[in-house]
PDB file of all heavy atoms in Angstrom:
ATOM      1  N   VAL A   1      38.988 -12.308  13.610  1.00  0.00           N
ATOM      2  CA  VAL A   1      37.595 -12.764  13.935  1.00  0.00           C
ATOM      3  C   VAL A   1      36.739 -12.754  12.674  1.00  0.00           C
ATOM      4  O   VAL A   1      35.910 -13.621  12.462  1.00  0.00           O
ATOM      5  CB  VAL A   1      37.005 -11.872  15.033  1.00  0.00           C
ATOM      6  CG1 VAL A   1      35.510 -12.212  15.242  1.00  0.00           C
ATOM      7  CG2 VAL A   1      37.756 -12.048  16.347  1.00  0.00           C
ATOM      8  N   GLY A   2      36.939 -11.702  11.837  1.00  0.00           N
ATOM      9  CA  GLY A   2      36.163 -11.643  10.607  1.00  0.00           C
ATOM     10  C   GLY A   2      36.447 -12.807   9.687  1.00  0.00           C
ATOM     11  O   GLY A   2      35.566 -13.336   9.048  1.00  0.00           O
ATOM     12  N   ASP A   3      37.747 -13.234   9.651  1.00  0.00           N
ATOM     13  CA  ASP A   3      38.104 -14.391   8.812  1.00  0.00           C
ATOM     14  C   ASP A   3      37.380 -15.685   9.302  1.00  0.00           C
ATOM     15  O   ASP A   3      36.893 -16.449   8.530  1.00  0.00           O
ATOM     16  CB  ASP A   3      39.628 -14.599   8.822  1.00  0.00           C
ATOM     17  CG  ASP A   3      40.351 -13.512   8.078  1.00  0.00           C
ATOM     18  OD1 ASP A   3      39.669 -12.794   7.269  1.00  0.00           O
ATOM     19  OD2 ASP A   3      41.572 -13.354   8.295  1.00  0.00           O
ATOM     20  N   ILE A   4      37.374 -15.856  10.619  1.00  0.00           N
ATOM     21  CA  ILE A   4      36.711 -17.004  11.138  1.00  0.00           C
ATOM     22  C   ILE A   4      35.216 -16.993  10.879  1.00  0.00           C
ATOM     23  O   ILE A   4      34.596 -17.987  10.548  1.00  0.00           O
ATOM     24  CB  ILE A   4      36.972 -17.104  12.696  1.00  0.00           C
ATOM     25  CG1 ILE A   4      38.450 -17.298  12.978  1.00  0.00           C
ATOM     26  CG2 ILE A   4      36.144 -18.232  13.337  1.00  0.00           C
ATOM     27  CD1 ILE A   4      38.812 -17.239  14.458  1.00  0.00           C
ATOM     28  N   SER A   5      34.646 -15.783  10.985  1.00  0.00           N
ATOM     29  CA  SER A   5      33.211 -15.612  10.723  1.00  0.00           C
ATOM     30  C   SER A   5      32.890 -15.977   9.269  1.00  0.00           C
ATOM     31  O   SER A   5      31.912 -16.646   8.967  1.00  0.00           O
ATOM     32  CB  SER A   5      32.768 -14.177  11.034  1.00  0.00           C
ATOM     33  OG  SER A   5      31.452 -13.962  10.653  1.00  0.00           O
ATOM     34  N   THR A   6      33.752 -15.568   8.346  1.00  0.00           N
ATOM     35  CA  THR A   6      33.553 -15.838   6.912  1.00  0.00           C
ATOM     36  C   THR A   6      33.664 -17.343   6.639  1.00  0.00           C
ATOM     37  O   THR A   6      32.852 -17.943   5.872  1.00  0.00           O
ATOM     38  CB  THR A   6      34.569 -15.076   6.086  1.00  0.00           C
ATOM     39  OG1 THR A   6      34.414 -13.671   6.373  1.00  0.00           O
ATOM     40  CG2 THR A   6      34.318 -15.318   4.597  1.00  0.00           C
ATOM     41  N   GLU A   7      34.661 -17.978   7.275  1.00  0.00           N
ATOM     42  CA  GLU A   7      34.872 -19.408   7.017  1.00  0.00           C
ATOM     43  C   GLU A   7      33.756 -20.289   7.556  1.00  0.00           C
ATOM     44  O   GLU A   7      33.368 -21.265   6.968  1.00  0.00           O
ATOM     45  CB  GLU A   7      36.195 -19.828   7.653  1.00  0.00           C
ATOM     46  CG  GLU A   7      37.432 -19.194   6.993  1.00  0.00           C
ATOM     47  CD  GLU A   7      38.713 -19.524   7.753  1.00  0.00           C
ATOM     48  OE1 GLU A   7      38.629 -20.265   8.775  1.00  0.00           O
ATOM     49  OE2 GLU A   7      39.756 -18.980   7.374  1.00  0.00           O
ATOM     50  N   THR A   8      33.208 -19.881   8.741  1.00  0.00           N
ATOM     51  CA  THR A   8      32.200 -20.728   9.406  1.00  0.00           C
ATOM     52  C   THR A   8      30.783 -20.316   9.128  1.00  0.00           C
ATOM     53  O   THR A   8      29.848 -21.094   9.423  1.00  0.00           O
ATOM     54  CB  THR A   8      32.455 -20.720  10.928  1.00  0.00           C
ATOM     55  OG1 THR A   8      32.352 -19.356  11.386  1.00  0.00           O
ATOM     56  CG2 THR A   8      33.828 -21.270  11.280  1.00  0.00           C
ATOM     57  N   GLY A   9      30.597 -19.097   8.631  1.00  0.00           N
ATOM     58  CA  GLY A   9      29.246 -18.625   8.320  1.00  0.00           C
ATOM     59  C   GLY A   9      28.465 -18.203   9.541  1.00  0.00           C
ATOM     60  O   GLY A   9      27.243 -18.099   9.500  1.00  0.00           O
ATOM     61  N   VAL A  10      29.157 -17.909  10.681  1.00  0.00           N
ATOM     62  CA  VAL A  10      28.461 -17.471  11.893  1.00  0.00           C
ATOM     63  C   VAL A  10      28.748 -15.982  12.070  1.00  0.00           C
ATOM     64  O   VAL A  10      29.580 -15.392  11.401  1.00  0.00           O
ATOM     65  CB  VAL A  10      28.891 -18.253  13.127  1.00  0.00           C
ATOM     66  CG1 VAL A  10      28.573 -19.710  12.979  1.00  0.00           C
ATOM     67  CG2 VAL A  10      30.408 -18.052  13.364  1.00  0.00           C
ATOM     68  N   SER A  11      28.037 -15.378  13.041  1.00  0.00           N
ATOM     69  CA  SER A  11      28.244 -13.963  13.302  1.00  0.00           C
ATOM     70  C   SER A  11      29.643 -13.736  13.902  1.00  0.00           C
ATOM     71  O   SER A  11      30.256 -14.657  14.409  1.00  0.00           O
ATOM     72  CB  SER A  11      27.177 -13.433  14.295  1.00  0.00           C
ATOM     73  OG  SER A  11      27.367 -14.038  15.565  1.00  0.00           O
ATOM     74  N   GLU A  12      30.097 -12.482  13.824  1.00  0.00           N
ATOM     75  CA  GLU A  12      31.412 -12.168  14.347  1.00  0.00           C
ATOM     76  C   GLU A  12      31.488 -12.391  15.851  1.00  0.00           C
ATOM     77  O   GLU A  12      32.518 -12.811  16.391  1.00  0.00           O
ATOM     78  CB  GLU A  12      31.793 -10.729  14.016  1.00  0.00           C
ATOM     79  CG  GLU A  12      32.049 -10.487  12.542  1.00  0.00           C
ATOM     80  CD  GLU A  12      32.635  -9.118  12.264  1.00  0.00           C
ATOM     81  OE1 GLU A  12      32.819  -8.366  13.233  1.00  0.00           O
ATOM     82  OE2 GLU A  12      32.913  -8.808  11.108  1.00  0.00           O
ATOM     83  N   GLU A  13      30.391 -12.083  16.580  1.00  0.00           N
ATOM     84  CA  GLU A  13      30.340 -12.326  18.021  1.00  0.00           C
ATOM     85  C   GLU A  13      30.472 -13.827  18.334  1.00  0.00           C
ATOM     86  O   GLU A  13      31.254 -14.209  19.217  1.00  0.00           O
ATOM     87  CB  GLU A  13      29.040 -11.792  18.594  1.00  0.00           C
ATOM     88  CG  GLU A  13      28.921 -11.934  20.128  1.00  0.00           C
ATOM     89  CD  GLU A  13      27.673 -11.350  20.659  1.00  0.00           C
ATOM     90  OE1 GLU A  13      26.872 -10.742  19.883  1.00  0.00           O
ATOM     91  OE2 GLU A  13      27.431 -11.493  21.854  1.00  0.00           O
ATOM     92  N   THR A  14      29.768 -14.615  17.555  1.00  0.00           N
ATOM     93  CA  THR A  14      29.880 -16.071  17.786  1.00  0.00           C
ATOM     94  C   THR A  14      31.233 -16.576  17.383  1.00  0.00           C
ATOM     95  O   THR A  14      31.833 -17.463  18.060  1.00  0.00           O
ATOM     96  CB  THR A  14      28.815 -16.804  16.913  1.00  0.00           C
ATOM     97  OG1 THR A  14      27.521 -16.302  17.274  1.00  0.00           O
ATOM     98  CG2 THR A  14      28.816 -18.303  17.192  1.00  0.00           C
ATOM     99  N   ALA A  15      31.802 -16.004  16.313  1.00  0.00           N
ATOM    100  CA  ALA A  15      33.133 -16.409  15.863  1.00  0.00           C
ATOM    101  C   ALA A  15      34.184 -16.108  16.941  1.00  0.00           C
ATOM    102  O   ALA A  15      35.110 -16.913  17.170  1.00  0.00           O
ATOM    103  CB  ALA A  15      33.489 -15.651  14.598  1.00  0.00           C
ATOM    104  N   ALA A  16      34.046 -14.981  17.625  1.00  0.00           N
ATOM    105  CA  ALA A  16      34.970 -14.659  18.699  1.00  0.00           C
ATOM    106  C   ALA A  16      34.880 -15.641  19.837  1.00  0.00           C
ATOM    107  O   ALA A  16      35.880 -16.056  20.446  1.00  0.00           O
ATOM    108  CB  ALA A  16      34.681 -13.261  19.216  1.00  0.00           C
ATOM    109  N   LYS A  17      33.610 -16.115  20.119  1.00  0.00           N
ATOM    110  CA  LYS A  17      33.440 -17.112  21.194  1.00  0.00           C
ATOM    111  C   LYS A  17      33.952 -18.474  20.793  1.00  0.00           C
ATOM    112  O   LYS A  17      34.500 -19.209  21.607  1.00  0.00           O
ATOM    113  CB  LYS A  17      31.946 -17.168  21.560  1.00  0.00           C
ATOM    114  CG  LYS A  17      31.414 -15.908  22.221  1.00  0.00           C
ATOM    115  CD  LYS A  17      29.944 -16.086  22.505  1.00  0.00           C
ATOM    116  CE  LYS A  17      29.369 -14.799  23.196  1.00  0.00           C
ATOM    117  NZ  LYS A  17      27.922 -14.940  23.441  1.00  0.00           N
ATOM    118  N   LEU A  18      33.780 -18.818  19.505  1.00  0.00           N
ATOM    119  CA  LEU A  18      34.173 -20.154  19.015  1.00  0.00           C
ATOM    120  C   LEU A  18      35.645 -20.242  18.726  1.00  0.00           C
ATOM    121  O   LEU A  18      36.180 -21.306  18.506  1.00  0.00           O
ATOM    122  CB  LEU A  18      33.360 -20.487  17.760  1.00  0.00           C
ATOM    123  CG  LEU A  18      31.865 -20.714  17.950  1.00  0.00           C
ATOM    124  CD1 LEU A  18      31.199 -20.935  16.595  1.00  0.00           C
ATOM    125  CD2 LEU A  18      31.603 -21.888  18.850  1.00  0.00           C
ATOM    126  N   SER A  19      36.310 -19.064  18.689  1.00  0.00           N
ATOM    127  CA  SER A  19      37.708 -19.041  18.251  1.00  0.00           C
ATOM    128  C   SER A  19      38.619 -19.876  19.105  1.00  0.00           C
ATOM    129  O   SER A  19      39.692 -20.320  18.706  1.00  0.00           O
ATOM    130  CB  SER A  19      38.245 -17.617  18.177  1.00  0.00           C
ATOM    131  OG  SER A  19      38.174 -17.019  19.452  1.00  0.00           O
ATOM    132  N   GLY A  20      38.219 -20.110  20.365  1.00  0.00           N
ATOM    133  CA  GLY A  20      39.087 -20.900  21.258  1.00  0.00           C
ATOM    134  C   GLY A  20      38.717 -22.359  21.296  1.00  0.00           C
ATOM    135  O   GLY A  20      39.241 -23.122  22.086  1.00  0.00           O
ATOM    136  N   HIS A  21      37.837 -22.842  20.345  1.00  0.00           N
ATOM    137  CA  HIS A  21      37.384 -24.228  20.400  1.00  0.00           C
ATOM    138  C   HIS A  21      37.689 -25.053  19.162  1.00  0.00           C
ATOM    139  O   HIS A  21      37.128 -26.066  18.922  1.00  0.00           O
ATOM    140  CB  HIS A  21      35.879 -24.284  20.643  1.00  0.00           C
ATOM    141  CG  HIS A  21      35.441 -23.586  21.933  1.00  0.00           C
ATOM    142  ND1 HIS A  21      35.604 -24.237  23.140  1.00  0.00           N
ATOM    143  CD2 HIS A  21      34.892 -22.407  22.156  1.00  0.00           C
ATOM    144  CE1 HIS A  21      35.147 -23.433  24.098  1.00  0.00           C
ATOM    145  NE2 HIS A  21      34.686 -22.352  23.519  1.00  0.00           N
ATOM    146  N   SER A  22      38.620 -24.512  18.369  1.00  0.00           N
ATOM    147  CA  SER A  22      38.993 -25.253  17.182  1.00  0.00           C
ATOM    148  C   SER A  22      40.494 -25.028  16.916  1.00  0.00           C
ATOM    149  O   SER A  22      41.094 -24.160  17.489  1.00  0.00           O
ATOM    150  CB  SER A  22      38.188 -24.780  15.938  1.00  0.00           C
ATOM    151  OG  SER A  22      38.479 -23.422  15.665  1.00  0.00           O
ATOM    152  N   ALA A  23      41.048 -25.798  16.031  1.00  0.00           N
ATOM    153  CA  ALA A  23      42.471 -25.649  15.755  1.00  0.00           C
ATOM    154  C   ALA A  23      42.781 -24.277  15.231  1.00  0.00           C
ATOM    155  O   ALA A  23      43.716 -23.610  15.641  1.00  0.00           O
ATOM    156  CB  ALA A  23      42.894 -26.730  14.743  1.00  0.00           C
ATOM    157  N   SER A  24      41.972 -23.854  14.201  1.00  0.00           N
ATOM    158  CA  SER A  24      42.180 -22.498  13.658  1.00  0.00           C
ATOM    159  C   SER A  24      41.816 -21.473  14.697  1.00  0.00           C
ATOM    160  O   SER A  24      42.405 -20.404  14.777  1.00  0.00           O
ATOM    161  CB  SER A  24      41.334 -22.303  12.383  1.00  0.00           C
ATOM    162  OG  SER A  24      39.975 -22.455  12.693  1.00  0.00           O
ATOM    163  N   GLY A  25      40.829 -21.818  15.532  1.00  0.00           N
ATOM    164  CA  GLY A  25      40.398 -20.880  16.582  1.00  0.00           C
ATOM    165  C   GLY A  25      41.463 -20.647  17.595  1.00  0.00           C
ATOM    166  O   GLY A  25      41.605 -19.565  18.131  1.00  0.00           O
ATOM    167  N   LYS A  26      42.241 -21.708  17.917  1.00  0.00           N
ATOM    168  CA  LYS A  26      43.259 -21.568  18.924  1.00  0.00           C
ATOM    169  C   LYS A  26      44.345 -20.549  18.449  1.00  0.00           C
ATOM    170  O   LYS A  26      44.836 -19.742  19.214  1.00  0.00           O
ATOM    171  CB  LYS A  26      43.918 -22.912  19.233  1.00  0.00           C
ATOM    172  CG  LYS A  26      42.975 -23.823  20.009  1.00  0.00           C
ATOM    173  CD  LYS A  26      43.656 -25.159  20.204  1.00  0.00           C
ATOM    174  CE  LYS A  26      42.687 -26.130  20.926  1.00  0.00           C
ATOM    175  NZ  LYS A  26      43.279 -27.463  21.127  1.00  0.00           N
ATOM    176  N   THR A  27      44.664 -20.636  17.208  1.00  0.00           N
ATOM    177  CA  THR A  27      45.646 -19.653  16.624  1.00  0.00           C
ATOM    178  C   THR A  27      45.074 -18.260  16.727  1.00  0.00           C
ATOM    179  O   THR A  27      45.777 -17.300  17.083  1.00  0.00           O
ATOM    180  CB  THR A  27      45.903 -20.009  15.149  1.00  0.00           C
ATOM    181  OG1 THR A  27      46.404 -21.329  15.094  1.00  0.00           O
ATOM    182  CG2 THR A  27      46.963 -19.056  14.619  1.00  0.00           C
ATOM    183  N   ALA A  28      43.789 -18.118  16.383  1.00  0.00           N
ATOM    184  CA  ALA A  28      43.151 -16.803  16.462  1.00  0.00           C
ATOM    185  C   ALA A  28      43.102 -16.307  17.884  1.00  0.00           C
ATOM    186  O   ALA A  28      43.326 -15.126  18.148  1.00  0.00           O
ATOM    187  CB  ALA A  28      41.732 -16.879  15.880  1.00  0.00           C
ATOM    188  N   ALA A  29      42.815 -17.210  18.830  1.00  0.00           N
ATOM    189  CA  ALA A  29      42.706 -16.801  20.225  1.00  0.00           C
ATOM    190  C   ALA A  29      43.990 -16.238  20.749  1.00  0.00           C
ATOM    191  O   ALA A  29      43.997 -15.285  21.528  1.00  0.00           O
ATOM    192  CB  ALA A  29      42.262 -18.021  21.063  1.00  0.00           C
ATOM    193  N   LYS A  30      45.134 -16.810  20.312  1.00  0.00           N
ATOM    194  CA  LYS A  30      46.422 -16.309  20.740  1.00  0.00           C
ATOM    195  C   LYS A  30      46.604 -14.863  20.288  1.00  0.00           C
ATOM    196  O   LYS A  30      47.147 -14.075  21.019  1.00  0.00           O
ATOM    197  CB  LYS A  30      47.511 -17.211  20.216  1.00  0.00           C
ATOM    198  CG  LYS A  30      47.556 -18.612  20.851  1.00  0.00           C
ATOM    199  CD  LYS A  30      48.680 -19.429  20.281  1.00  0.00           C
ATOM    200  CE  LYS A  30      48.705 -20.814  20.881  1.00  0.00           C
ATOM    201  NZ  LYS A  30      49.768 -21.659  20.301  1.00  0.00           N
ATOM    202  N   LYS A  31      46.157 -14.556  19.086  1.00  0.00           N
ATOM    203  CA  LYS A  31      46.327 -13.199  18.586  1.00  0.00           C
ATOM    204  C   LYS A  31      45.319 -12.239  19.207  1.00  0.00           C
ATOM    205  O   LYS A  31      45.611 -11.091  19.433  1.00  0.00           O
ATOM    206  CB  LYS A  31      46.177 -13.212  17.065  1.00  0.00           C
ATOM    207  CG  LYS A  31      47.292 -13.985  16.370  1.00  0.00           C
ATOM    208  CD  LYS A  31      47.321 -13.754  14.902  1.00  0.00           C
ATOM    209  CE  LYS A  31      48.516 -14.436  14.253  1.00  0.00           C
ATOM    210  NZ  LYS A  31      48.650 -14.167  12.839  1.00  0.00           N
ATOM    211  N   ILE A  32      44.131 -12.741  19.521  1.00  0.00           N
ATOM    212  CA  ILE A  32      43.125 -11.895  20.140  1.00  0.00           C
ATOM    213  C   ILE A  32      43.572 -11.399  21.491  1.00  0.00           C
ATOM    214  O   ILE A  32      43.318 -10.315  21.889  1.00  0.00           O
ATOM    215  CB  ILE A  32      41.790 -12.655  20.250  1.00  0.00           C
ATOM    216  CG1 ILE A  32      41.168 -12.801  18.847  1.00  0.00           C
ATOM    217  CG2 ILE A  32      40.811 -11.957  21.158  1.00  0.00           C
ATOM    218  CD1 ILE A  32      39.961 -13.686  18.822  1.00  0.00           C
TER     219      ILE A  32
END
């Protein structure tokens, strides 16, 4: 989640929510 937050420039909470709405996010979601 921290990696997604760094890449997108959003908060970690928002990154966790957005992780299921993008290609990279789908990969992250599987691990979450």
Side-chain angles (χ1 to χ4, degrees):
V1 172
D3 290 342
I4 296 173
S5 174
T6 302
E7 292 173 4
T8 60
V10 299
S11 67
E12 291 190 359
E13 183 178 355
T14 304
K17 293 179 180 179
L18 293 175
S19 60
H21 299 285
S22 64
S24 60
K26 289 178 182 178
T27 303
K30 291 180 181 179
K31 295 193 175 183
I32 288 172

